[in-house]
Amino acid sequence: IMYKITLKNIKAITNLEFHFPEKNGVYLLTGTNGCGKTTLLIALNRLGDNLAFSRNLRTSSAGFDSFKDAQIIYSTQNESVTYHRTGIRWVPPPKSKSNLIKTFPCQNILYLSTSGLRFYAQEPKDLKDYHHNTVSDEIINPLNDILQTEKFRNLKYIKVKNIKGKQRRLHRNNKLYVIKDSQSNYYSEQNFSLGERLLLNTLDFIEAIKEKSLLLIDEIELALHPIAQVKFYNYLEHIAKDKKLIVIISTHSSSLIKHAKQRIYLENNNGQISVLNNCYPAYILREIATEEDFKPDFIFFVEDIMAQRYMHYLLSKYLKEKNSNLICKVIPVGGYRQVVELMEKYPTLSYPINKMQSMLDADVKDTYREILRKSEKTDADVAFIDLFRRNKKNISFLSITPELGTWEWLTSNSNILQQNIESKYGRLSFNLTTKIQTVEREEAGNKNGNLRNWAKGCFKNLASQICPLIVDFQETDLFKCIFESYIEDFTSDSTNMNKIKAFLGKILNRK
């Protein structure tokens, strides 16, 4: 079932369509200021909090922030419900349709915004007694690990008298956190650093999170050092896996963008927000991460890690054959359209457009031709064609779609890969041909769909079967050996090698 949230005419957002994640894990939500990150988190929070809109999308009594034409739409494959502002409330007509949001796949929702609880510090007064209560390891261990310290081993809490009123939720069950210093004196959370307090409040908030919950954290990097940001992300990955959570965190942190495994990028085109999943950091950050003393002579943009590996070994072979000292950088970007867009937008500093090239997978050529042949083209088709025509001098196509081409080669040349692995890791205790044949049988049922995804599944299956059987051999080592073997075999034919020399030489030597 498809679950979708659509935002229309809210602040600077004209339209944004977000598909609810299908799998557990940590999803990093990023984009430029004003692209809708916080508004989207509020809309997600409404799935479990009836007051999410009234708390966070408020209307001023002076007539500002009216949200007059705003709509927040929750959809499944067959139904939808639309919320809009009426007076001081957000309501769906008819009200009975609001039950639709209860069908979204999350049993419990926790939302940590950039205000309120996040910055709260309990005052050391109105204490019930001075009894020092034990703090759970679910708070102490990650505090020490993320902040790279041991001082929170002595963290305790003291109960504060019950406080009535609207702000009761901010008091974390009336706990005052205290810690013992090296002189055995206790000091309260009022004297913790801002980063320590923010992290403590967050860990306290999620300490008892239920399984299969949706956890939302806005601007996760607040007051945390980049190393602590990454460690906190790793902690969230751990609990997401352990408790089957969907965690969505918003950030502008380049450290987290580079480190995250699953990225959701909100790209703002004059209010039309495109939601790009699994975007690579290069496209999001619009930068080439190179040291000051290392600037490549040429940059190749490719779609994904598989294409990056293919191009790396192809270039290495070419440069070795030509005895060239050129330094080339291959950067994975994401979808083929994003590859070309990044290349087009990037020419700055010392990287002119003639020193860049988009290297798209072979199957994109067929996609482009199919769009050209369409009798009725959509606006997106026309924009796509225009993008390619503007950049045709800087677009090339690989001879294969890396996943599919190398797998097809491997099924007939497993002996070459086996020899390569054995030359590096010693004699294998199994026959690689047999393992590949087993994978082919097990993955046969998936071949009716997308062949590229089928090939990816084959590689994943193969890695799971053989990596545990070889000492110090990881999935990355397997792919290194595969692409290295493929390129060596392909270029052993002098005709192929001459074609590569002509092809890459024309690109790398242009003025």
Side-chain angles (χ1 to χ4, degrees):
I1 299 177
M2 176 199 73
Y3 297 94
K4 185 174 71 173
I5 297 175
T6 303
L7 309 179
K8 290 182 178 292
N9 305 317
I10 300 179
K11 295 184 272 190
I13 305 165
T14 303
N15 188 74
L16 186 161
E17 292 187 2
F18 176 81
H19 291 266
F20 195 84
E22 295 180 0
K23 297 180 179 180
N24 302 327
V26 179
Y27 295 84
L28 185 143
L29 180 67
T30 189
T32 56
N33 291 323
C35 67
K37 297 186 298 296
T38 299
T39 306
L40 178 57
L41 291 179
I42 292 168
L44 284 162
N45 185 38
R46 177 60 183 83
L47 294 171
D49 183 357
N50 293 339
L51 300 178
F53 295 157
S54 58
R55 283 199 192 102
N56 300 289
L57 299 174
R58 297 176 179 174
T59 298
S60 166
S61 59
F64 305 118
D65 309 313
S66 65
F67 299 103
K68 181 181 177 182
D69 300 314
Q71 294 181 343
I72 300 177
I73 306 165
Y74 298 86
S75 310
T76 62
Q77 281 177 306
N78 302 314
E79 295 182 83
S80 67
V81 57
T82 301
Y83 285 80
H84 60 88
R85 190 87 189 200
T86 301
I88 62 171
R89 302 184 63 192
W90 288 78
V91 295
K95 190 175 180 180
S96 59
K97 293 195 73 174
S98 63
N99 289 326
L100 179 68
I101 65 175
K102 296 179 182 178
T103 67
F104 274 64
C106 44
Q107 297 181 3
N108 185 51
I109 298 168
L110 284 80
Y111 174 46
L112 203 54
S113 70
T114 55
S115 60
L117 175 62
R118 196 87 164 268
F119 290 88
Y120 183 72
Q122 183 73 264
E123 292 186 22
K125 63 180 184 179
D126 298 322
L127 306 181
K128 280 188 173 181
D129 54 47
Y130 284 87
H131 178 69
H132 292 171
N133 298 281
T134 301
V135 177
S136 74
D137 288 342
E138 282 74 17
I139 292 179
I140 290 177
N141 290 341
L143 264 176
N144 281 331
D145 180 59
I146 293 166
L147 299 176
Q148 296 181 289
T149 183
E150 286 297 317
K151 72 179 185 180
F152 291 103
R153 285 181 302 170
N154 298 315
L155 186 68
K156 305 290 182 182
Y157 73 87
I158 299 171
K159 275 289 188 177
V160 178
K161 292 179 181 178
N162 190 52
I163 300 174
K164 298 178 181 180
K166 294 181 179 179
Q167 299 300 311
R168 182 176 180 182
R169 187 183 178 193
L170 300 184
H171 290 78
R172 300 171 318 207
N173 295 322
N174 298 341
K175 285 187 275 188
L176 167 70
Y177 282 102
V178 295
I179 195 169
K180 185 166 63 173
D181 63 18
S182 57
Q183 283 77 44
S184 296
N185 298 313
Y186 278 92
Y187 63 95
S188 78
E189 61 188 81
Q190 287 278 347
N191 290 297
F192 291 5
S193 73
L194 178 60
E196 290 172 343
R197 196 159 68 237
L198 286 168
L199 184 60
L200 173 60
N201 284 332
T202 301
L203 293 171
D204 178 278
F205 184 68
I206 64 179
E207 176 187 6
I209 191 170
K210 298 177 183 177
E211 286 196 353
K212 299 181 179 179
S213 292
L214 171 63
L215 174 61
L216 310 167
I217 305 178
D218 200 4
E219 295 190 30
I220 191 172
E221 72 273 22
L222 287 178
L224 290 179
H225 184 276
I227 293 175
Q229 294 171 20
V230 169
K231 283 183 165 289
F232 188 23
Y233 173 92
N234 292 342
Y235 167 74
L236 292 174
E237 273 201 321
H238 168 73
I239 64 168
K241 182 178 180 181
D242 187 49
K243 295 195 173 185
K244 302 178 178 62
L245 308 177
I246 292 175
V247 182
I248 301 177
I249 56 176
S250 79
T251 188
H252 291 286
S253 165
S254 59
S255 299
L256 287 175
I257 289 168
K258 293 171 184 175
H259 181 72
K261 295 177 182 175
Q262 300 181 96
R263 306 173 194 88
I264 302 170
Y265 179 53
L266 304 184
E267 186 170 53
N268 192 348
N269 298 299
N270 297 317
Q272 294 289 335
I273 313 296
S274 299
V275 180
L276 306 179
N277 292 293
N278 300 318
C279 232
Y280 281 87
Y283 186 78
I284 296 170
L285 298 173
R286 300 294 201 276
E287 67 177 11
I288 309 303
T290 57
E291 295 80 13
E292 288 185 5
D293 60 342
F294 176 76
K295 291 186 177 179
D297 301 301
F298 206 97
I299 299 169
F300 290 93
F301 297 98
V302 296
E303 293 181 48
D304 55 23
I305 297 296
M306 287 294 211
Q308 183 188 40
R309 289 169 176 144
Y310 174 86
M311 274 302 298
H312 170 77
Y313 287 106
L314 191 66
L315 283 165
S316 297
K317 184 69 176 179
Y318 169 84
L319 295 173
K320 183 178 180 180
E321 287 283 323
K322 299 291 289 184
N323 195 25
S324 173
N325 293 320
L326 277 178
I327 297 174
C328 299
K329 190 172 183 68
V330 184
I331 300 175
V333 177
Y336 52 80
R337 180 168 185 147
Q338 281 76 52
V339 172
V340 181
E341 286 178 341
L342 178 58
M343 181 194 67
E344 183 180 53
K345 294 172 182 176
Y346 191 75
T348 57
L349 303 176
S350 58
Y351 295 103
I353 190 67
N354 65 321
K355 296 301 179 184
M356 300 181 186
Q357 192 77 1
S358 291
M359 302 295 295
L360 306 178
D361 291 359
D363 57 357
V364 180
K365 189 184 293 185
D366 295 330
T367 301
Y368 182 57
R369 287 170 177 167
E370 287 173 10
I371 292 174
L372 284 175
R373 287 194 294 264
K374 288 171 69 173
S375 56
E376 294 185 11
K377 297 179 177 64
T378 65
D379 291 344
D381 293 336
V382 172
F384 176 67
I385 293 169
D386 186 47
L387 175 69
F388 267 52
R389 285 178 174 166
R390 288 197 309 269
N391 295 280
K392 62 182 179 181
K393 291 181 180 179
N394 298 86
I395 297 175
S396 298
F397 297 93
L398 303 177
S399 59
I400 59 171
T401 298
E403 301 92 333
L404 190 56
T406 49
W407 181 260
E408 290 174 345
W409 169 84
L410 187 56
T411 56
S412 302
N413 297 277
S414 57
N415 60 310
I416 297 176
L417 177 60
Q418 180 141 356
Q419 290 169 12
N420 190 4
I421 294 175
E422 289 185 339
S423 71
K424 294 180 173 68
Y425 298 92
R427 190 170 180 83
L428 301 182
S429 61
F430 57 88
N431 184 279
L432 190 56
T433 302
T434 303
K435 293 291 184 184
I436 291 170
Q437 289 171 347
T438 300
V439 170
E440 286 263 292
R441 287 195 302 272
E442 292 176 352
E443 299 293 332
N446 299 322
K447 200 170 184 178
N448 296 327
N450 184 302
L451 288 177
R452 186 176 187 170
N453 290 337
W454 165 77
K456 285 182 180 179
C458 289
F459 278 126
K460 195 85 175 171
N461 191 333
L462 183 65
S464 69
Q465 293 200 35
I466 71 172
C467 288
L469 303 178
I470 306 173
V471 177
D472 293 331
F473 191 73
Q474 307 299 321
E475 187 175 287
T476 53
D477 300 313
L478 172 62
F479 287 124
K480 177 180 178 180
C481 290
I482 288 172
F483 282 96
E484 188 179 55
S485 300
Y486 174 83
I487 294 299
E488 282 296 325
D489 183 51
F490 182 74
T491 56
S492 64
D493 184 314
S494 59
T495 302
N496 289 338
M497 191 67 236
N498 288 334
K499 287 180 179 178
I500 289 170
K501 287 179 180 178
F503 170 65
L504 289 177
K506 185 177 180 181
I507 294 171
L508 292 169
N509 296 317
R510 68 184 173 211
K511 302 300 181 182

